[in-house]
Amino acid sequence: MLADVFISLLPFLLSTGGAAFAKAVPAAFRRPVSDAVDHVDPIIGNGGVIPSHTGGMIPSTAPPFAMTRWVAQTRQNYVSVPPYILTDTSIHGFQGTHQPAIWMGESGQVVVIPGAGDIKSNFEDRGMDFNKDTEVRTASYYSVELDALEGGTILAEQSATSRVGHLRFTFQHTSTPYVVVEATRAAVVGHTDTSNTTLHIGSIRIDPHTREVCGSNPERQDSIIGPLSTPARGFSGYFCARFAQPFATWGVTTNGTIHDGVLRRDDRLLSGFATFAPSTRVVDVRIGVSFISIEQARRNIDREAPDGETLEVTAQKTRAAWAEKLDRIRVEGATEKQKTIFYTAFFYSLQYPYETSEEGRYYSGFDDQVHEGESYNGYSIWDTFRAEWAWLILFAPERMPGMITSMLNDFKEGGWLPKWKNVIETNIMVGTHADSQISEAVVKGVRGFDLELAWQAVVKDATVPPVNDSTTTYGDRQEDVDYEVRSGLSTVYAEKGWVASDIHSEAGSCTLDYSYDDYAISLFADALNKTEDAHFYRERGLGNPFKIFNDETGFMEARNANGSFAGPDAGWTEGDKWIYTFDVVQNIPELALRRGGNASFVQFLDEHFDGGHNQHTNEPSHHIPYLYAMVDAAPKTQERVRSIAVTDYDDTPTGLLGNEDCGQMSAWYLFSALGFYPVDPASGNYVIGSPFFDKATVRLPGVARPLVISSPGAPSQIYVENSVINGGKISNSVITHTQLIRGGELRFEMSSVPV
Ligand SMILES: *[C@@H]1O[C@H](CO)[C@@H](O)[C@H](O)[C@H]1NC(C)=O
Ligand SMILES: *[C@@H]1O[C@H](CO)[C@@H](O)[C@H](O)[C@H]1NC(C)=O
Ligand SMILES: *[C@@H]1O[C@H](CO)[C@@H](O)[C@H](O)[C@H]1NC(C)=O
Ligand SMILES: *[C@@H]1O[C@H](CO)[C@@H](O)[C@H](O)[C@H]1NC(C)=O
Ligand SMILES: *[C@@H]1O[C@H](CO)[C@@H](O)[C@H](O)[C@H]1NC(C)=O
Ligand SMILES: *[C@@H]1O[C@H](CO)[C@@H](O)[C@H](O)[C@H]1NC(C)=O
C-alpha cells in the first residue's frame, strides 16, 4: 500500500526543484565555494498558519553552535512565537536572539533598528514595509530592502560570528540616517496571555568618541518556570554596538520619548540611538554580545570582527565555518529539492546546544557567578537524545567534551544534570535523558570530560528523588517547584518499578523514560567495569517497562500507587497508548513476545501506521518505523521511512511538519537519508532503513578514510536486497558505531520489490 503511495510521488520527486533562493546571492557572499551551503534554505520550517505548526525555525545568520543568532524582527517573540514570521509584512529591526526553540522563551536579546528622519524607537512605530522579493536568506548572509518611514529605502545587510552581529545599512533618498539600539521592551510573561508583560530595567551607555552604544537587558522569559533554588537573578544580556561612522548626535529614548544628548541611563522601555551626518549613505555596525559584561562584549568584537573588517569578510568566515561542516557529506542522485531538504537539515542539526563561554569563561545562572571553563545552553534533551545527539557525536566530535563538561558544570553549580536548559533548568518534558546522552558518548568512545563526575551525576539522577516528591505532581511547566528530575522515584518507581499515576503527572511516559535511562546507565557501568551496578540498572532498564504492560489490552498503561491500571489515556506526555507502547527500544524482543511474537508484532505495527496513530511531528514516534526491521520485516521499515520522508519534509516554508526541536526532526531525516537510524542510541547500534540517494560520501571528522555509502538505484528503488559494510554482510539490519567510524564502504543493493 505505502509503496504505491511512494511510487506515485516519484515523478514529483524526480523533477528538478527551482533555485534555492528568491533573489540571487551577491557573488561576494557566495565565497568560499560550497554547493552544500548553497543548498541551505533557512526559510524551511517558518511557514504554516502560525510557525509553531511547522518547524518554528527562523532565517537567521550565525556560524555553527553560535552564541547569538541574528534575524530580521517582524514581531515580538515569546514562548510559541519566534521573532520572524514569513507572512508578516513589516520589519522592526534586527534581533540578536537567544530563543532556542519555539516552546522556549527569549533571554537577553538586543535589537538594532535603522531609520531616517524622526527617530522612532517603539516597536509599533518603527516597523518598515518590505518586499519579500528583495530578501536574500542564506546561512551566513541576509539582506532586505526596507521602505524608510519618511520615504526612500534602506538596504539592510546582515551577517554574524558567534558573539558579534554585523549589519550594514545603505540609505537611499532619505534624510538624516540614524540607528536605534533597543535594550528593554515590554516582555511577555508565559505563553497564554500576551497582555501580561513585565517591564525590566536595562541600561544604555553611549560613548561618541569610540562610536559605541552599549548596554544590558535582563529579560528572561522562562524565569517563571524552573527550580526556585537557582533563579538566575543576576542574568543579563550585555551588548556593545560599535559603529564605523562618526555620530552626529546621540541620546536615549524611554517608551519612545527622546532624551537628546543623554549618555547613560538605566530604565524600562529603554533604547540608545546615534544619528549620522545627512550625507552619510552607509552605516556599518558590529554588535558584540556577552553574558558576562559590556567590557566582554567589546572584547568579543575585537576577537571576532575587529575594527576595519568588512561585512564581506565576516560573512565569508561564517560561510567557511558552514562549508567546513556541510561539505563533509556529498550526495549523488538527489534532486535539487532533496539536496535543499538535506543540507538545510544538516544546517539545522548543528545549531544547538549553543556555546556560551567567552574567552574561556562563562556566566552560570545556577549560582550567578562567572566561572572558568566551557558552557553551552539550549539543551532540549527529551528531543535530542534520540538521534540529534548521535548526529553530533558523528559530525561535531570536537564539541562533545565541551558539551558534556557543560552538563557536568550544571551538575556542580545547580546540583543536577540538565533536562531542558534555557539559561537554567526549565523542567520541560520528562525523564533524565542526560543519563542516556552521557552513557551513549561513553559507549561511543567520547572522552575528554570527567568520567567519575559523570558517573556520580547519572547515579544521582537514578537514585535521588526530587524535593517533596510525594506531594508534588511535577506537571509540565508547573511553576514554583524544585528540580523535577525523576519525579515519582521515591513514591513507587524505586521499589516497584513504575511511576504512580495517581500521584504524578505523565506517569506512563516517566516510567518508560526512566527505564531507558536506567538501561543506558547500565552500559556506562559496563564501560567502567562496575559489574554490580551494571546488573542493577540493566534489570531496572530492561524489566520496568513491562511493569506497566497491560496483558489484557496488549498496551502499555500507567499504573497507580496501589498497582491498579490508570486507564488507557492517562499518564502520557505528547503521545498516547499507541505511540508509547512502542517506547521500549532497549527491549524490542520482549515487547514482540508480549504482543504474540514477531509476526503478530508486525501486524500491530501495521495497525499503528494504517490506523493513523503514528505522529512523526513529535519525537516519541521517530523510531517506530525502524522497529519492523528488528523483527524480520525490513521491507516495511523501508516503505514507512521513505513515505515519511516525503509526507513530513519538503523544501518549502512548511517543509518541517513538526517542531524542529533543536535538531531532532532534521537528524531523523539525515540519518534516514543515509540509510540507518539510532533506534537505541546508547547502545551504539544503528538499524538499517533505506538510503535515499545513489551515493553519499561522508568524511567524518577525525576519521582517516571516507565512508562511502553506495546504493545505486535508490532514488527509484526503495527496497534493500543486501547490505555489506567493508565486505562483511550486515545481518539483522544492524550496524555499529565502531563500524561506521572506520570509514570504508557501506554498500546497499537496492531492489524495486520487497526482499
Ligand atoms: C502574569 O504572569 C505571572 C507569571 O505567570 C503571574 O504570576 C501573574 O499573576 C500574571 N498577571 C496577570 C495580571 O495575569
Ligand atoms: C508607553 O507609551 C504608550 C503610549 O505611547 C502608553 O500607552 C503606555 O502606557 C506607556 N507605557 C509606560 C510603561 O509608560
Ligand atoms: C516542600 O514542601 C514544604 C512543606 O509543604 C514547603 O514548605 C516547601 O516550600 C516545599 N519545597 C518546594 C521546593 O516545593
Ligand atoms: C575494564 O576491564 C577491562 C578488561 O579487564 C580493561 O581492559 C579496562 O581497562 C577496564 N576499564 C576500566 C575503566 O577500568
Ligand atoms: C487503587 O488506587 C486507585 C487510584 O487512587 C483507586 O481508584 C482504587 O480504588 C484503588 N484500588 C484499591 C483496590 O484500593
Ligand atoms: C524475531 O525476530 C528477531 C530479529 O530477527 C529474531 O532474532 C528472533 O529470533 C525472532 N523471534 C522468533 C520467535 O522468531
Side-chain angles (χ1 to χ4, degrees):
M1 258 314 265
L2 269 149
D4 291 345
V5 171
F6 178 74
I7 301 298
S8 69
L9 282 164
L10 269 181
F12 166 77
L13 278 179
L14 292 172
S15 71
T16 45
F21 308 107
K23 185 167 182 276
V25 183
F29 296 103
R30 292 187 67 177
R31 288 199 289 270
V33 171
S34 168
D35 184 54
V37 180
D38 281 343
H39 280 87
V40 171
D41 185 357
I43 203 66
I44 295 177
N46 187 263
V49 183
I50 53 169
S52 60
H53 286 174
T54 67
M57 297 306 282
I58 51 172
S60 62
T61 49
F65 310 107
M67 187 163 100
T68 304
R69 309 195 63 80
W70 287 84
V71 64
Q73 182 196 43
T74 69
R75 61 172 68 189
Q76 299 282 23
N77 63 322
Y78 51 94
V79 176
S80 80
V81 175
Y84 178 103
I85 294 191
L86 183 62
T87 48
D88 288 343
T89 54
S90 56
I91 287 177
H92 300 246
F94 296 85
Q95 183 160 343
T97 179
H98 303 115
Q99 183 177 15
I102 189 133
W103 296 118
M104 303 308 286
E106 176 66 283
S107 55
Q109 80 286 355
V110 56
V111 187
V112 175
I113 309 108
D118 292 341
I119 293 167
K120 306 280 189 215
S121 60
N122 272 3
F123 182 86
E124 313 76 62
D125 305 328
R126 72 192 188 212
M128 288 168 275
D129 292 343
F130 69 108
N131 180 343
K132 290 218 157 51
D133 295 342
T134 68
E135 274 187 308
V136 175
R137 312 182 202 104
T138 79
S140 47
Y141 171 77
Y142 171 90
S143 70
V144 64
E145 204 172 289
L146 305 168
D147 296 337
L149 292 169
E150 59 161 19
T153 61
I154 305 170
L155 171 67
E157 298 175 279
Q158 167 193 289
S159 186
T161 64
S162 180
R163 300 165 188 84
V164 183
H166 197 155
L167 293 159
R168 185 166 67 194
F169 304 119
T170 304
F171 296 83
Q172 278 191 310
H173 311 298
T174 66
S175 64
T176 308
Y178 67 80
V179 174
V180 169
V181 181
E182 181 187 75
T184 49
R185 64 177 178 179
V188 173
V189 179
H191 69 295
T192 44
D193 177 8
T194 57
S195 65
N196 187 353
T197 56
T198 302
L199 301 180
H200 298 286
I201 297 179
S203 69
I204 288 289
R205 304 283 181 266
I206 300 174
D207 185 341
H209 302 290
T210 57
R211 302 170 182 171
E212 286 176 345
V213 177
C214 307
S216 62
N217 173 19
E219 179 177 330
R220 192 170 74 76
Q221 290 178 331
D222 284 342
S223 61
I224 58 168
I225 44 176
L228 300 170
S229 49
T230 58
R233 284 212 184 82
F235 173 84
S236 257
Y238 299 91
F239 54 85
C240 200
R242 190 183 296 166
F243 293 83
Q245 288 70 30
F247 297 176
T249 68
W250 53 83
V252 301
T253 70
T254 51
N255 196 15
T257 303
I258 294 166
H259 309 278
D260 274 315
V262 171
L263 291 173
R264 304 166 63 87
R265 185 142 173 159
D266 296 345
D267 216 325
R268 301 169 172 85
L269 304 175
L270 177 70
S271 294
F273 69 86
T275 72
F276 303 89
S279 60
T280 306
R281 294 294 92 190
V282 176
V283 173
D284 182 291
V285 57
R286 290 155 296 141
I287 310 97
V289 173
S290 172
F291 295 120
I292 295 176
S293 65
I294 288 177
E295 185 49 35
Q296 184 64 48
R298 274 197 191 98
R299 293 172 58 84
N300 291 342
I301 300 179
D302 295 336
R303 290 164 54 83
E304 295 185 5
D307 295 355
E309 183 166 297
T310 62
L311 181 71
E312 281 76 6
V313 171
T314 303
Q316 280 161 18
K317 285 197 295 201
T318 294
R319 189 174 152 100
W322 281 113
E324 197 280 321
K325 290 291 186 198
L326 305 195
D327 285 343
R328 290 187 170 276
I329 303 182
R330 201 177 71 232
V331 296
E332 292 168 47
T335 63
E336 283 299 300
K337 261 180 207 291
Q338 286 174 320
K339 277 171 88 171
T340 301
I341 298 168
F342 185 88
Y343 287 111
T344 305
F346 203 174
F347 170 68
Y348 287 162
S349 72
L350 303 180
Q351 299 191 353
Y352 296 103
Y354 67 88
E355 58 190 3
T356 55
S357 346
E358 306 167 59
E359 284 193 87
R361 295 189 307 152
Y362 65 91
Y363 162 79
S364 166
F366 297 101
D367 62 4
D368 261 335
Q369 306 281 321
V370 172
H371 296 265
E372 305 239 316
E374 264 190 283
S375 194
Y376 283 82
N377 198 359
Y379 284 78
S380 181
I381 297 182
W382 180 84
D383 300 294
T384 59
F385 87 99
R386 299 163 202 270
E388 162 69 4
W389 189 249
W391 187 258
L392 293 178
I393 290 174
L394 287 174
F395 289 95
E398 75 286 357
R399 298 269 177 176
M400 268 297 132
M403 286 175 179
I404 297 173
T405 297
S406 170
M407 293 159 92
L408 298 178
N409 289 339
D410 298 348
F411 172 67
K412 284 196 280 193
E413 293 147 20
W416 296 97
L417 292 169
K419 281 162 77 124
W420 217 128
K421 178 192 183 188
N422 189 21
V423 182
I424 55 163
E425 184 50 55
T426 62
N427 279 343
I428 288 181
M429 304 314 294
V430 301
T432 54
H433 298 308
D435 306 342
S436 168
Q437 291 189 328
I438 291 176
S439 302
E440 177 183 353
V442 170
V443 166
K444 292 181 174 175
V446 175
R447 294 296 182 270
F449 59 93
D450 187 337
L451 264 184
E452 192 45 45
L453 189 66
W455 174 254
Q456 285 171 28
V458 302
V459 167
K460 183 174 178 188
D461 275 347
T463 57
V464 178
V467 173
N468 292 349
D469 192 24
S470 60
T471 53
T472 312
T473 57
Y474 283 104
D476 195 36
R477 290 183 187 269
Q478 187 172 345
E479 295 172 23
D480 304 325
V481 295
D482 208 85
Y483 280 88
E484 176 176 329
V485 282
R486 293 205 198 178
S487 67
L489 186 67
S490 64
T491 49
V492 178
Y493 183 87
E495 197 194 326
K496 297 185 185 162
W498 69 85
V499 174
S501 192
D502 46 352
I503 307 180
H504 299 285
S505 149
E506 304 153 305
S509 302
C510 287
T511 302
L512 298 171
D513 282 8
Y514 301 173
S515 307
Y516 187 73
D517 295 332
D518 281 337
Y519 154 81
I521 292 172
S522 77
L523 303 176
F524 190 171
D526 286 339
L528 296 177
N529 294 335
K530 293 182 189 285
T531 319
E532 274 175 40
D533 290 312
H535 178 75
F536 173 76
Y537 288 107
R538 185 162 287 117
E539 294 280 297
R540 274 185 19 174
L542 297 180
N544 282 355
F546 300 100
K547 302 269 170 70
I548 65 163
F549 187 86
N550 186 338
D551 285 312
E552 282 181 21
T553 62
F555 285 91
M556 297 289 175
E557 191 171 330
R559 289 174 82 169
N560 297 311
N562 65 13
S564 62
F565 284 107
D569 303 324
W572 307 124
T573 186
E574 302 194 2
D576 59 14
K577 66 170 185 179
W578 284 92
I579 289 165
Y580 275 102
T581 296
F582 295 108
D583 196 22
V584 203
V585 293
Q586 70 275 33
N587 202 351
I588 293 301
E590 173 77 17
L591 181 63
L593 273 182
R594 299 267 182 157
R595 289 289 322 192
N598 287 353
S600 159
F601 185 63
V602 168
Q603 220 170 24
F604 180 42
L605 280 162
D606 281 345
E607 267 179 76
H608 170 76
F609 282 99
D610 296 339
H613 302 295
N614 204 60
Q615 299 293 330
H616 189 78
T617 52
N618 214 328
E619 278 69 16
S621 287
H622 282 189
H623 66 282
I624 300 177
Y626 284 93
L627 297 184
Y628 286 108
M630 297 171 78
V631 286
D632 286 337
K636 288 184 184 252
T637 284
Q638 293 149 16
E639 290 167 7
R640 302 291 183 187
V641 166
R642 296 289 285 260
S643 162
I644 291 168
V646 173
T647 55
D648 284 52
Y649 299 85
D650 69 36
D651 66 339
T652 71
T654 53
L656 274 173
L657 270 202
N659 294 157
E660 171 59 359
D661 291 325
C662 293
Q664 171 59 29
M665 277 301 285
S666 287
W668 185 93
Y669 186 90
L670 293 163
F671 274 122
S672 296
L674 296 183
F676 46 90
Y677 186 83
V679 171
D680 168 4
S683 69
N685 291 342
Y686 297 85
V687 175
I688 297 291
S690 169
F692 299 174
F693 313 126
D694 291 315
K695 188 174 176 186
T697 307
V698 182
R699 289 184 305 108
L700 292 167
V703 174
R705 59 177 178 170
L707 175 71
V708 179
I709 302 169
S710 100
S711 38
S716 59
Q717 300 174 309
I718 69 168
Y719 298 105
V720 175
E721 189 166 342
N722 208 356
S723 51
V724 173
I725 187 157
N726 290 323
K729 189 170 158 47
I730 296 167
S731 56
N732 284 331
S733 295
V734 170
I735 51 173
T736 67
H737 184 74
T738 313
Q739 286 175 312
L740 283 184
I741 61 168
R742 286 194 195 118
E745 193 193 34
L746 172 55
R747 190 172 173 80
F748 295 94
E749 253 174 72
M750 306 304 291
S751 160
S752 53
V753 290
V755 188

